[in-house]
Amino acid sequence: MAEQAFVTLATNDSYAKGAMVLAKSLRKHKTSKKLVVLVGPHVSDQSRAVLHKIYDEVRLVDVMDSGDTAHLAMMKRPDLGVTLTKLHCWTLTHYSKCVFMDADTLVVSNIDELFDREELSAAPDPGWPDFFNSGVFVFRPSNETYSKLLQYCTEHGSFDGGDQGVLNGFFSDWSTADITKHLPFIYNMSSIAIYTYLPAFKQYGANAKVVHFLGQMKPWSYTYDPKQRRVRGDVQEASHPSFLLEWWALYSSEVVPMLFREYGDQPFHSGCEEDVAPSQDAPLPMSSAERKQKWEQGQADYMGIDSFDNIQKKLDAFLK
Ligand code: UDP
Ligand code: GLC
Ligand code: MN
Protein backbone atom coordinates (compact mmCIF):
# COMPACT_ATOMS: atom_id res chain seq x y z
CA MET A 1 0.00 0.00 0.00
CA ALA A 2 1.31 3.47 -0.87
CA GLU A 3 2.27 5.71 2.00
CA GLN A 4 0.17 8.31 3.75
CA ALA A 5 1.17 11.86 4.59
CA PHE A 6 0.28 15.07 6.35
CA VAL A 7 0.53 17.98 3.92
CA THR A 8 0.77 21.73 4.43
CA LEU A 9 1.51 24.85 2.38
CA ALA A 10 3.75 27.91 2.79
CA THR A 11 4.14 30.56 0.10
CA ASN A 12 6.29 32.90 2.19
CA ASP A 13 8.69 32.89 5.15
CA SER A 14 6.00 33.79 7.70
CA TYR A 15 3.78 30.84 6.88
CA ALA A 16 6.97 28.74 6.63
CA LYS A 17 7.49 29.38 10.37
CA GLY A 18 3.99 28.05 10.94
CA ALA A 19 4.76 24.99 8.81
CA MET A 20 7.91 24.33 10.86
CA VAL A 21 6.00 24.46 14.15
CA LEU A 22 3.19 22.31 12.75
CA ALA A 23 5.66 19.57 11.72
CA LYS A 24 7.42 19.76 15.09
CA SER A 25 4.06 19.37 16.82
CA LEU A 26 3.15 16.34 14.66
CA ARG A 27 6.52 14.73 15.44
CA LYS A 28 6.23 15.59 19.13
CA HIS A 29 2.99 13.61 19.19
CA LYS A 30 4.69 10.72 17.40
CA THR A 31 2.96 10.56 14.06
CA SER A 32 3.88 7.53 11.96
CA LYS A 33 2.97 9.36 8.70
CA LYS A 34 5.19 11.19 6.21
CA LEU A 35 5.30 14.99 6.34
CA VAL A 36 5.09 17.03 3.14
CA VAL A 37 5.24 20.81 2.67
CA LEU A 38 4.33 22.59 -0.56
CA VAL A 39 6.40 25.77 -0.94
CA GLY A 40 6.09 28.72 -3.29
CA PRO A 41 9.11 30.30 -5.02
CA HIS A 42 9.19 33.23 -2.55
CA VAL A 43 10.19 31.10 0.42
CA SER A 44 13.84 31.97 1.21
CA ASP A 45 16.68 29.46 0.83
CA GLN A 46 17.23 29.56 4.60
CA SER A 47 13.60 28.68 5.38
CA ARG A 48 13.68 25.97 2.76
CA ALA A 49 16.83 24.48 4.28
CA VAL A 50 15.11 24.26 7.67
CA LEU A 51 11.95 22.79 6.11
CA HIS A 52 14.12 20.14 4.43
CA LYS A 53 15.42 19.11 7.85
CA ILE A 54 11.97 18.78 9.42
CA TYR A 55 9.86 17.48 6.51
CA ASP A 56 10.22 14.26 4.54
CA GLU A 57 9.36 16.11 1.33
CA VAL A 58 9.55 19.77 0.32
CA ARG A 59 7.82 20.32 -2.99
CA LEU A 60 8.07 23.53 -4.99
CA VAL A 61 4.74 24.53 -6.56
CA ASP A 62 3.46 27.43 -8.69
CA VAL A 63 1.49 29.97 -6.72
CA MET A 64 -2.12 30.05 -7.89
CA ASP A 65 -4.08 33.18 -7.19
CA SER A 66 -7.78 33.74 -7.65
CA GLY A 67 -7.13 37.45 -8.22
CA ASP A 68 -10.72 37.71 -6.99
CA THR A 69 -10.40 40.95 -5.12
CA ALA A 70 -14.12 41.56 -4.82
CA HIS A 71 -14.83 38.37 -2.87
CA LEU A 72 -11.64 38.55 -0.87
CA ALA A 73 -12.35 42.14 0.11
CA MET A 74 -15.70 40.97 1.46
CA MET A 75 -13.80 38.68 3.86
CA LYS A 76 -11.31 41.49 4.58
CA ARG A 77 -8.46 39.12 3.69
CA PRO A 78 -7.02 40.15 0.28
CA ASP A 79 -4.09 37.83 0.98
CA LEU A 80 -6.18 34.64 0.73
CA GLY A 81 -6.26 34.37 -3.10
CA VAL A 82 -2.99 32.46 -2.92
CA THR A 83 -4.66 29.76 -0.84
CA LEU A 84 -5.85 28.25 -4.14
CA THR A 85 -2.25 26.97 -4.27
CA LYS A 86 -3.50 24.42 -1.73
CA LEU A 87 -5.24 22.56 -4.55
CA HIS A 88 -1.80 21.29 -5.67
CA CYS A 89 -2.03 18.80 -2.80
CA TRP A 90 -4.19 16.55 -5.01
CA THR A 91 -1.13 16.00 -7.26
CA LEU A 92 0.75 14.10 -4.52
CA THR A 93 -0.26 10.81 -6.11
CA HIS A 94 2.63 8.83 -4.61
CA TYR A 95 0.55 8.85 -1.40
CA SER A 96 -2.66 6.86 -1.13
CA LYS A 97 -4.31 9.19 1.38
CA CYS A 98 -3.37 12.51 2.96
CA VAL A 99 -4.49 14.98 5.57
CA PHE A 100 -4.05 18.63 4.62
CA MET A 101 -3.41 21.04 7.48
CA ASP A 102 -3.08 24.83 7.29
CA ALA A 103 0.31 26.20 8.34
CA ASP A 104 -1.47 28.08 11.16
CA THR A 105 -2.55 24.88 12.91
CA LEU A 106 -0.90 23.25 15.93
CA VAL A 107 -1.28 19.58 16.86
CA VAL A 108 -1.72 18.98 20.58
CA SER A 109 -2.37 15.22 20.51
CA ASN A 110 -1.72 12.36 18.05
CA ILE A 111 -4.23 12.47 15.17
CA ASP A 112 -3.12 9.57 12.97
CA GLU A 113 -6.62 8.09 13.33
CA LEU A 114 -7.77 10.72 10.79
CA PHE A 115 -6.42 8.42 8.08
CA ASP A 116 -9.31 6.03 8.79
CA ARG A 117 -11.61 8.66 7.25
CA GLU A 118 -12.47 9.09 3.59
CA GLU A 119 -12.30 12.04 1.18
CA LEU A 120 -13.54 14.64 1.81
CA SER A 121 -13.68 14.69 5.59
CA ALA A 122 -13.45 18.01 7.42
CA ALA A 123 -14.81 19.86 10.43
CA PRO A 124 -17.55 22.50 10.25
CA ASP A 125 -16.49 26.09 9.74
CA PRO A 126 -17.12 28.02 12.97
CA GLY A 127 -18.52 30.96 11.00
CA TRP A 128 -20.93 28.99 8.78
CA PRO A 129 -21.21 25.38 9.99
CA ASP A 130 -23.01 24.13 6.84
CA PHE A 131 -19.65 24.62 5.15
CA PHE A 132 -16.52 22.79 6.15
CA ASN A 133 -13.43 24.65 7.19
CA SER A 134 -10.59 23.89 4.77
CA GLY A 135 -7.85 24.28 7.39
CA VAL A 136 -7.87 20.50 8.09
CA PHE A 137 -9.21 17.90 5.63
CA VAL A 138 -8.71 14.28 4.59
CA PHE A 139 -8.29 13.68 0.86
CA ARG A 140 -7.11 11.18 -1.75
CA PRO A 141 -4.49 12.53 -4.17
CA SER A 142 -5.65 12.05 -7.76
CA ASN A 143 -4.70 13.82 -10.97
CA GLU A 144 -8.25 13.38 -12.17
CA THR A 145 -9.70 15.16 -9.11
CA TYR A 146 -7.03 17.84 -9.47
CA SER A 147 -8.03 18.68 -13.05
CA LYS A 148 -11.71 18.62 -12.13
CA LEU A 149 -11.00 21.06 -9.31
CA LEU A 150 -9.14 23.43 -11.65
CA GLN A 151 -11.99 23.16 -14.13
CA TYR A 152 -14.45 23.95 -11.34
CA CYS A 153 -12.39 27.04 -10.44
CA THR A 154 -12.43 28.28 -14.01
CA GLU A 155 -16.16 27.72 -14.46
CA HIS A 156 -17.47 28.81 -11.06
CA GLY A 157 -14.69 30.76 -9.33
CA SER A 158 -14.68 30.80 -5.55
CA PHE A 159 -17.42 32.45 -3.53
CA ASP A 160 -14.89 33.50 -0.88
CA GLY A 161 -11.99 34.06 -3.27
CA GLY A 162 -9.95 31.29 -1.59
CA ASP A 163 -9.75 27.51 -1.56
CA GLN A 164 -12.51 27.04 1.02
CA GLY A 165 -15.10 28.45 -1.39
CA VAL A 166 -13.94 26.20 -4.23
CA LEU A 167 -13.73 23.06 -2.11
CA ASN A 168 -17.18 23.56 -0.58
CA GLY A 169 -18.61 24.17 -4.05
CA PHE A 170 -16.94 21.05 -5.41
CA PHE A 171 -17.69 18.75 -2.46
CA SER A 172 -21.09 20.33 -2.15
CA ASP A 173 -22.92 17.42 -0.50
CA TRP A 174 -20.56 17.43 2.51
CA SER A 175 -23.11 18.92 4.88
CA THR A 176 -25.87 16.39 4.14
CA ALA A 177 -24.53 13.20 2.53
CA ASP A 178 -22.39 11.31 5.05
CA ILE A 179 -21.97 12.14 8.71
CA THR A 180 -18.72 10.11 8.92
CA LYS A 181 -17.15 12.85 6.79
CA HIS A 182 -17.88 15.41 9.48
CA LEU A 183 -14.77 15.60 11.64
CA PRO A 184 -15.39 16.46 15.27
CA PHE A 185 -14.63 20.10 16.01
CA ILE A 186 -11.68 19.05 18.23
CA TYR A 187 -9.72 18.27 15.03
CA ASN A 188 -9.92 21.89 13.92
CA MET A 189 -10.67 23.98 16.96
CA SER A 190 -10.37 27.65 16.14
CA SER A 191 -9.58 29.52 19.30
CA ILE A 192 -12.22 32.12 18.40
CA ALA A 193 -14.84 29.52 19.41
CA ILE A 194 -13.57 29.60 22.98
CA TYR A 195 -14.80 33.10 23.51
CA THR A 196 -18.06 32.64 21.64
CA TYR A 197 -19.00 29.48 23.59
CA LEU A 198 -16.98 29.50 26.79
CA PRO A 199 -19.00 26.85 28.71
CA ALA A 200 -18.52 24.35 25.83
CA PHE A 201 -14.82 25.05 25.84
CA LYS A 202 -14.74 24.62 29.60
CA GLN A 203 -16.43 21.23 29.28
CA TYR A 204 -14.67 19.86 26.19
CA GLY A 205 -11.68 22.11 25.45
CA ALA A 206 -9.27 19.67 27.10
CA ASN A 207 -10.13 17.16 24.32
CA ALA A 208 -8.81 19.46 21.58
CA LYS A 209 -6.40 17.73 19.22
CA VAL A 210 -5.73 20.48 16.69
CA VAL A 211 -5.82 24.21 17.34
CA HIS A 212 -6.33 26.49 14.32
CA PHE A 213 -5.17 30.11 14.65
CA LEU A 214 -7.72 31.22 12.08
CA GLY A 215 -7.98 34.91 11.19
CA GLN A 216 -5.70 37.79 10.50
CA MET A 217 -3.47 37.63 13.59
CA LYS A 218 -1.21 34.59 13.52
CA PRO A 219 1.09 33.35 16.31
CA TRP A 220 4.07 34.77 14.41
CA SER A 221 2.42 38.21 14.30
CA TYR A 222 3.30 38.68 17.99
CA THR A 223 6.60 38.89 19.83
CA TYR A 224 7.61 36.62 22.68
CA ASP A 225 9.67 37.00 25.81
CA PRO A 226 11.28 33.58 26.27
CA LYS A 227 12.56 34.39 29.79
CA GLN A 228 9.14 35.24 31.19
CA ARG A 229 7.34 32.91 28.76
CA ARG A 230 4.98 35.71 27.78
CA VAL A 231 3.54 36.73 24.43
CA ARG A 232 3.63 40.49 23.85
CA GLY A 233 1.23 42.64 21.92
CA ASP A 234 -2.46 43.16 21.72
CA VAL A 235 -3.52 39.52 21.78
CA GLN A 236 -6.81 39.17 19.95
CA GLU A 237 -9.56 36.77 20.79
CA ALA A 238 -8.69 34.54 17.85
CA SER A 239 -5.54 33.46 19.67
CA HIS A 240 -6.22 31.70 22.95
CA PRO A 241 -3.33 32.58 25.31
CA SER A 242 -2.35 29.09 26.45
CA PHE A 243 -2.34 27.64 22.91
CA LEU A 244 -0.47 30.69 21.70
CA LEU A 245 2.13 30.06 24.41
CA GLU A 246 2.35 26.43 23.36
CA TRP A 247 3.05 27.53 19.79
CA TRP A 248 5.74 29.96 20.95
CA ALA A 249 7.36 27.44 23.30
CA LEU A 250 7.79 24.97 20.43
CA TYR A 251 8.88 27.66 17.98
CA SER A 252 11.43 29.29 20.31
CA SER A 253 12.96 26.06 21.57
CA GLU A 254 12.98 23.90 18.46
CA VAL A 255 12.66 26.07 15.37
CA VAL A 256 14.50 29.33 16.17
CA PRO A 257 17.89 27.60 16.78
CA MET A 258 17.58 25.88 13.38
CA LEU A 259 16.77 29.19 11.66
CA PHE A 260 19.70 30.98 13.33
CA ARG A 261 22.01 28.21 12.16
CA GLU A 262 20.87 28.74 8.55
CA TYR A 263 21.01 32.55 8.67
CA GLY A 264 24.54 32.55 10.18
CA ASP A 265 25.87 36.13 10.05
CA GLN A 266 22.91 37.46 8.04
CA PRO A 267 20.23 39.42 9.89
CA PHE A 268 17.25 37.39 11.05
CA HIS A 269 14.44 38.36 13.43
CA SER A 270 12.93 35.39 15.14
CA GLY A 271 10.20 37.37 16.92
CA CYS A 272 11.72 36.47 20.30
CA GLU A 273 12.45 39.55 22.35
CA GLU A 274 16.23 39.21 22.47
CA ASP A 275 16.38 40.44 18.90
CA VAL A 276 13.85 43.29 19.11
CA ALA A 277 14.08 46.67 20.83
CA PRO A 278 13.25 46.53 24.57
CA SER A 279 9.60 47.30 25.28
CA GLN A 280 8.43 50.46 27.05
CA ASP A 281 7.75 50.59 30.78
CA ALA A 282 4.84 48.52 32.03
CA PRO A 283 1.46 50.34 31.75
CA LEU A 284 -0.27 51.59 34.91
CA PRO A 285 -2.93 49.27 36.32
CA MET A 286 -6.45 49.97 35.03
CA SER A 287 -9.50 50.88 37.12
CA SER A 288 -12.44 48.51 36.91
CA ALA A 289 -14.47 51.10 34.96
CA GLU A 290 -11.64 51.49 32.45
CA ARG A 291 -11.44 47.72 32.13
CA LYS A 292 -15.17 47.41 31.48
CA GLN A 293 -14.89 50.07 28.80
CA LYS A 294 -12.00 48.19 27.15
CA TRP A 295 -14.05 44.97 27.13
CA GLU A 296 -16.96 46.74 25.54
CA GLN A 297 -14.63 48.06 22.86
CA GLY A 298 -13.44 44.50 22.22
CA GLN A 299 -10.00 45.22 23.72
CA ALA A 300 -9.84 42.74 26.58
CA ASP A 301 -6.39 41.97 28.01
CA TYR A 302 -6.50 38.29 27.06
CA MET A 303 -2.90 37.70 28.10
CA GLY A 304 -3.20 39.36 31.48
CA ILE A 305 -6.05 40.17 33.80
CA ASP A 306 -8.72 38.95 31.34
CA SER A 307 -6.91 35.67 30.61
CA PHE A 308 -8.95 32.52 30.21
CA ASP A 309 -7.70 31.22 33.57
CA ASN A 310 -9.06 34.31 35.32
CA ILE A 311 -12.36 34.08 33.43
CA GLN A 312 -12.61 30.43 34.43
CA LYS A 313 -11.98 31.26 38.11
CA LYS A 314 -14.71 33.87 37.97
CA LEU A 315 -17.05 31.42 36.24
CA ASP A 316 -16.29 28.72 38.86
CA ALA A 317 -16.92 31.16 41.70
CA PHE A 318 -20.18 32.22 40.05
CA LEU A 319 -21.39 28.63 39.52
CA LYS A 320 -20.68 27.80 43.16
N1 UDP B 1 -1.09 30.47 2.94
C1 UDP B 1 0.20 30.73 2.47
N2 UDP B 1 0.53 32.02 2.16
C2 UDP B 1 -0.33 33.06 2.31
C3 UDP B 1 -1.62 32.81 2.81
C4 UDP B 1 -1.97 31.50 3.11
O1 UDP B 1 1.00 29.82 2.34
O2 UDP B 1 0.07 34.21 2.03
C5 UDP B 1 -1.47 29.07 3.22
C6 UDP B 1 -1.09 28.61 4.63
O3 UDP B 1 -0.91 27.21 4.65
C7 UDP B 1 -2.32 29.01 5.41
C8 UDP B 1 -3.44 28.61 4.44
O4 UDP B 1 -2.89 28.96 3.15
O5 UDP B 1 -2.42 28.37 6.67
C9 UDP B 1 -4.76 29.33 4.65
O6 UDP B 1 -4.57 30.68 4.96
P1 UDP B 1 -4.85 31.23 6.44
O7 UDP B 1 -4.49 30.16 7.41
O8 UDP B 1 -4.17 32.55 6.57
O9 UDP B 1 -6.43 31.43 6.41
P2 UDP B 1 -7.41 31.43 7.68
O10 UDP B 1 -7.33 30.04 8.27
O11 UDP B 1 -6.92 32.48 8.62
O12 UDP B 1 -8.73 31.74 7.10
C1 GLC C 1 -10.71 29.88 5.59
C2 GLC C 1 -9.91 28.68 5.99
C3 GLC C 1 -8.62 28.60 5.25
C4 GLC C 1 -8.83 28.91 3.78
C5 GLC C 1 -9.48 30.28 3.61
C6 GLC C 1 -9.69 30.68 2.15
O1 GLC C 1 -11.20 30.69 6.51
O2 GLC C 1 -9.64 28.64 7.39
O3 GLC C 1 -8.07 27.34 5.44
O4 GLC C 1 -7.60 28.84 3.12
O5 GLC C 1 -10.70 30.30 4.28
O6 GLC C 1 -10.74 30.02 1.51
MN1 MN D 1 -5.72 28.84 8.68
Side-chain angles (χ1 to χ4, degrees):
M1 197 177 79
E3 287 184 298
Q4 301 179 328
F6 285 101
V7 183
T8 190
L9 162 70
T11 65
N12 58 40
D13 283 355
S14 301
Y15 282 94
K17 290 178 183 171
M20 291 165 196
V21 175
L22 167 62
K24 287 283 182 185
S25 71
L26 280 160
R27 297 227 189 267
K28 179 176 165 188
H29 295 286
K30 308 216 175 333
T31 179
S32 64
K33 309 297 173 183
K34 294 282 180 203
L35 305 186
V36 180
V37 59
L38 309 175
V39 294
H42 298 300
V43 175
S44 67
D45 291 342
Q46 290 87 347
S47 293
R48 258 184 246 195
V50 172
L51 288 170
H52 269 287
K53 288 187 179 148
I54 312 179
Y55 278 83
D56 296 296
E57 190 179 343
V58 179
R59 180 185 279 225
L60 182 64
V61 293
D62 296 329
V63 171
M64 295 194 250
D65 193 334
S66 68
D68 191 348
T69 37
H71 284 142
L72 287 165
M74 225 157 73
M75 293 193 344
K76 299 195 171 51
R77 294 288 303 277
D79 50 318
L80 287 184
V82 296
T83 65
L84 290 185
T85 312
K86 228 187 244 187
L87 302 182
H88 278 294
C89 68
W90 263 274
T91 66
L92 296 167
T93 52
H94 47 305
Y95 298 103
S96 59
K97 197 188 277 183
C98 296
V99 172
F100 182 90
M101 302 188 71
D102 268 8
D104 61 342
T105 56
L106 176 75
V107 169
V108 295
S109 165
N110 184 288
I111 51 168
D112 285 0
E113 69 270 16
L114 283 180
F115 290 84
D116 296 339
R117 307 264 180 164
E118 276 312 317
E119 175 173 284
L120 185 289
S121 295
D125 185 81
W128 194 270
D130 281 348
F131 287 131
F132 60 82
N133 180 273
S134 62
V136 177
F137 60 88
V138 183
F139 70 101
R140 269 190 193 279
S142 145
N143 288 321
E144 192 189 335
T145 312
Y146 178 65
S147 24
K148 283 186 184 161
L149 278 164
L150 293 193
Q151 196 185 340
Y152 184 91
C153 276
T154 325
E155 286 170 12
H156 306 273
S158 165
F159 69 80
D160 71 357
D163 64 293
Q164 183 161 306
V166 174
L167 291 173
N168 274 279
F170 190 81
F171 296 100
S172 61
D173 64 356
W174 172 84
S175 75
T176 52
D178 181 355
I179 195 69
T180 65
K181 292 183 179 173
H182 286 224
L183 296 182
F185 191 58
I186 52 168
Y187 289 101
N188 184 352
M189 197 200 64
S190 54
S191 30
I192 202 156
I194 299 168
Y195 289 100
T196 49
Y197 201 171
L198 196 55
F201 177 74
K202 194 167 173 281
Q203 188 77 356
Y204 299 108
N207 300 341
K209 288 174 186 256
V210 178
V211 180
H212 186 178
F213 297 97
L214 189 150
Q216 197 139 29
M217 289 300 281
K218 300 301 184 195
W220 54 84
S221 317
Y222 302 96
T223 53
Y224 178 67
D225 175 351
K227 285 197 200 83
Q228 290 191 42
R229 304 195 73 239
R230 264 190 77 111
V231 176
R232 303 271 178 207
D234 190 9
V235 174
Q236 305 203 335
E237 63 175 31
S239 308
H240 182 269
S242 69
F243 294 126
L244 193 58
L245 274 179
E246 195 162 332
W247 189 96
W248 273 97
L250 206 51
Y251 172 70
S252 63
S253 66
E254 300 214 12
V255 172
V256 171
M258 295 180 84
L259 282 164
F260 271 118
R261 218 168 297 138
E262 289 306 324
Y263 276 90
D265 298 335
Q266 292 150 281
F268 164 67
H269 296 296
S270 69
C272 293
E273 267 189 354
E274 273 105 18
D275 23 274
V276 299
S279 62
Q280 322 87 320
D281 293 336
L284 289 169
M286 242 186 283
S287 74
S288 134
E290 277 172 318
R291 226 179 109 207
K292 180 160 178 277
Q293 193 183 11
K294 285 261 182 201
W295 259 96
E296 284 162 4
Q297 292 165 344
Q299 297 169 0
D301 175 18
Y302 292 115
M303 296 304 293
I305 193 155
D306 306 319
S307 70
F308 178 70
D309 286 344
N310 285 347
I311 296 175
Q312 184 157 23
K313 275 184 208 139
K314 188 94 185 167
L315 210 63
D316 287 340
F318 179 72
L319 290 175
K320 260 187 234 148

